[in-house]
Amino acid sequence: MAVRETVLTTGQHLFTMFVDICKEMNLDWKQNLVGQSYDGAASMRGAYNGLQSIVKTHNPSATYVWCWAHRISLVVVDAVSSCVEARDLFGNLETLYDYIGSSKKRGGLYSDYQKMRYPGKSLRRLKRVSTTRWSSHASALQTVFDTYDALIFFFCYTGR
């Protein structure tokens, strides 16, 4: 298994990284790769310069299929966004994230209240609500549920 991070996201750069990783792991991708699946970013699925097309020029058997897990996530986010109450809820979660996360002092107080209310437990950070990943919505909401008492203390004692 390999996980790499990069700030360059062109199809050619991603292809170079892919080839390097396969070399490191002694994988013959030209002979054994039969499928590839990515999200809709042009650098990934692009017909001419995307990773999938570059891979396909070296291995015609590597059929590209849109990542359906990503697409279903987009459908769920879009469906939930049509509900006013859900839009308000997740908008408020994003506002909460921005308010506490944009200040070192407020972030520190939030951490202090967590330590006080949940001794011995790991500190949690509020999560951003991504517009394309349903899991970010669930994660943001779960963090608020898990630290609810600390948030109540935060707002009671900071006067907000």
Side-chain angles (χ1 to χ4, degrees):
M1 182 168 159
V3 176
R4 301 289 192 283
E5 191 171 342
T6 182
V7 294
L8 299 174
T9 59
T10 65
Q12 186 58 54
H13 180 74
L14 295 171
F15 175 71
T16 302
M17 288 181 68
F18 169 73
V19 170
D20 290 346
I21 291 167
C22 288
K23 252 186 227 170
E24 287 172 20
M25 302 183 87
N26 203 23
L27 298 172
D28 184 0
W29 66 273
K30 289 183 181 179
Q31 186 67 34
N32 298 319
L33 181 65
V34 294
Q36 48 182 329
S37 181
Y38 314 110
D39 68 10
S43 60
M44 302 304 278
R45 69 161 172 82
Y48 303 105
N49 296 316
L51 177 60
Q52 71 90 14
S53 66
I54 297 169
V55 168
K56 198 147 178 80
T57 61
H58 296 278
N59 178 353
S61 298
T63 303
Y64 169 70
V65 178
W66 180 288
C67 177
W68 289 100
H70 179 71
R71 183 164 273 183
I72 193 68
S73 183
L74 293 173
V75 169
V76 170
V77 168
D78 195 46
V80 169
S81 296
S82 68
C83 173
V84 174
E85 291 83 359
R87 223 177 23 242
D88 288 348
L89 170 67
F90 294 115
N92 288 336
L93 287 178
E94 187 67 13
T95 300
L96 181 63
Y97 168 85
D98 288 339
Y99 179 72
I100 292 178
S102 66
S103 162
K104 292 282 187 193
K105 182 178 180 180
R106 289 189 294 261
L109 287 171
Y110 175 57
S111 294
D112 290 345
Y113 292 134
Q114 285 184 66
K115 289 175 191 171
M116 184 175 69
R117 294 298 297 162
Y118 318 109
K121 289 198 173 188
S122 297
L123 292 178
R124 304 286 306 267
R125 289 187 178 192
L126 294 173
K127 308 288 190 284
R128 164 152 267 144
V129 178
S130 164
T131 56
T132 58
R133 303 229 185 268
W134 174 247
S135 61
S136 76
H137 290 64
S139 180
L141 189 56
Q142 190 61 53
T143 301
V144 168
F145 286 152
D146 292 345
T147 63
Y148 184 78
D149 289 343
L151 286 166
I152 295 300
F153 265 75
F154 176 88
F155 286 105
C156 287
Y157 292 108
T158 60
R160 300 279 184 230

